[in-house]
Amino acid sequence: MIANIAKSNSAQPAFRVGDERLVKLTSNAALKVSSLLNRQGRPNGVLRVAVVGGGCSGLQYKMDLQDAPANRDILVESAGVRVVVDPKSALYVTGSELDYLETLDGGFKVTNPNAATTCSCGESFTA
């Protein structure tokens, strides 16, 4: 699932490479993320998926577009998009699928097999 990668240049972040067993994007999500990265002038950027405390149920997802992986990140390529997850968040998102819905109540939706419960708005969960 995860292979260790050490960068030869110490100025570069050291990160590991994982696979889609950690996190997977649907084609709709990949198209949206690619579009957002290009719009921001980051065609080689990454989508950071993290889990932070908060929300109705105690944990919530945080997504951000960044230029590159940071130290200790796990990098996954899914549907042509580079996704990074920090090791702590990886404990909560392993096996998750990220989708994007173009509907009134749409946006990015995470299907997470580790979520024991979710709140009614679907924005937070417990593990």
Side-chain angles (χ1 to χ4, degrees):
M1 179 160 121
I2 298 172
N4 287 326
I5 300 291
K7 293 288 187 175
S8 58
N9 182 346
S10 62
Q12 294 291 323
F15 57 88
R16 297 179 288 169
V17 175
D19 60 36
E20 288 184 323
R21 289 177 290 180
L22 178 60
V23 65
K24 182 178 180 178
L25 273 63
T26 65
S27 57
N28 284 344
L31 286 171
K32 186 64 175 181
V33 171
S34 294
S35 170
L36 292 169
L37 284 168
N38 285 322
R39 190 178 309 154
Q40 287 189 0
R42 301 177 189 200
N44 297 316
V46 298
L47 169 67
R48 174 170 300 283
V49 176
V51 174
V52 296
C56 309
S57 297
L59 296 170
Q60 61 187 7
Y61 302 104
K62 180 180 176 189
M63 291 180 234
D64 191 23
L65 301 175
Q66 298 181 340
D67 291 326
N71 280 331
R72 302 185 61 229
D73 276 344
I74 302 165
L75 173 70
V76 174
E77 186 159 335
S78 180
V81 173
R82 297 184 329 146
V83 181
V84 293
V85 180
D86 65 86
K88 189 173 182 181
S89 295
L91 298 171
Y92 296 104
V93 302
T94 297
S96 294
E97 181 178 76
L98 179 63
D99 194 9
Y100 182 79
L101 306 172
E102 289 271 357
T103 61
L104 186 59
D105 64 341
F108 287 102
K109 302 289 182 188
V110 179
T111 303
N112 186 341
N114 305 301
T117 60
T118 59
C119 66
S120 61
C121 67
E123 298 294 321
S124 65
F125 68 100
T126 58

